[in-house]
Every structure is written in structure tokens, then in C-alpha cells.
């Protein structure tokens, strides 16, 4: 089953750009997960187990490397066209 998720990272530090870029680059290292980023969030799509495992791994890595950060996520079962615009 496919899963599409939207995730935003809010590092609790003044220099927040580096942790966000680091997180996005880490997501890009998963060839089986499609990623699209805009000014507000990052959307990912892939097999359900792959997306959830990636998020668990990378959120933990982000907390270990950068300290406190808030992650906000939305999930929808199924595959969405991440290139769709209205």
C-alpha cells in the first residue's frame, strides 16, 4: 500500500535553516521515496512501511544531531501526485 505524507520540521533554535536542509537531504537518500518540497513543507510518497521507517529513522537522527525540534505531519493512505498544482 502506498502512503503520502506531508512533514514540516521546526528546529527550536535561531539558526533553523541548516537542520531543515540537512533533514531534506537525508530524505533524498532514500531512492524508493519520492520527495517534493515547497516553502511550507515537504511531501513524500512511497510504500507505507518505507515512508514510516524513513520518518522514524530520520526524525530520531535529527533529534540526536540538532536537539529539540517539532515535527508536524499529515498522512493520507494512497499515492498522490506530488507535482499537482492548482
Amino acid at each position: 500500500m502506498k502512503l503520502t505524507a506531508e512533514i514540516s520540521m521546526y528546529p527550536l533554535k535561531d539558526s533553523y535553516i541548516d537542520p531543515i536542509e540537512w533533514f531534506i537531504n537525508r530524505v533524498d537518500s532514500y531512492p524508493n521515496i519520492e520527495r517534493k518540497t515547497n516553502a511550507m513543507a515537504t511531501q513524500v510518497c512511497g510504500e507505507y512501511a518505507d515512508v514510516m521507517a524513513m520518518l522514524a529513522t530520520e526524525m530520531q537522527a535529527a533529534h540526536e544531531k540538532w536537539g529539540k525540534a517539532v515535527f508536524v505531519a499529515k498522512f493520507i493512505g494512497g499515492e498522490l501526485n506530488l507535482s499537482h498544482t492548482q
Side-chain angles (χ1 to χ4, degrees):
M1 174 180 177
K2 295 283 188 176
L3 176 69
T4 302
E6 178 178 272
I7 187 160
S8 299
M9 178 186 186
Y10 300 96
L12 299 180
K13 54 187 353 163
D14 290 336
S15 56
Y16 58 89
I17 297 294
D18 288 341
I20 293 170
E21 288 178 344
W22 177 89
F23 183 80
I24 292 168
N25 289 334
R26 300 266 301 199
V27 170
D28 280 342
S29 72
Y30 292 79
N32 56 338
I33 295 176
E34 179 185 0
R35 179 202 52 91
K36 192 76 148 184
T37 298
N38 61 43
M40 296 288 294
T42 295
Q43 292 86 30
V44 294
C45 185
E47 289 298 322
Y48 197 104
D50 294 341
V51 171
M52 294 302 284
M54 179 275 295
L55 290 174
T57 297
E58 298 309 331
M59 288 170 47
Q60 179 178 348
H63 285 129
E64 289 172 350
K65 179 170 180 66
W66 302 101
K68 293 181 181 175
V70 175
F71 287 91
V72 177
K74 294 185 262 184
F75 301 94
I76 185 165
E79 183 173 13
L80 296 181
N81 178 358
L82 299 183
S83 297
H84 175 76
T85 59
Q86 189 114 8

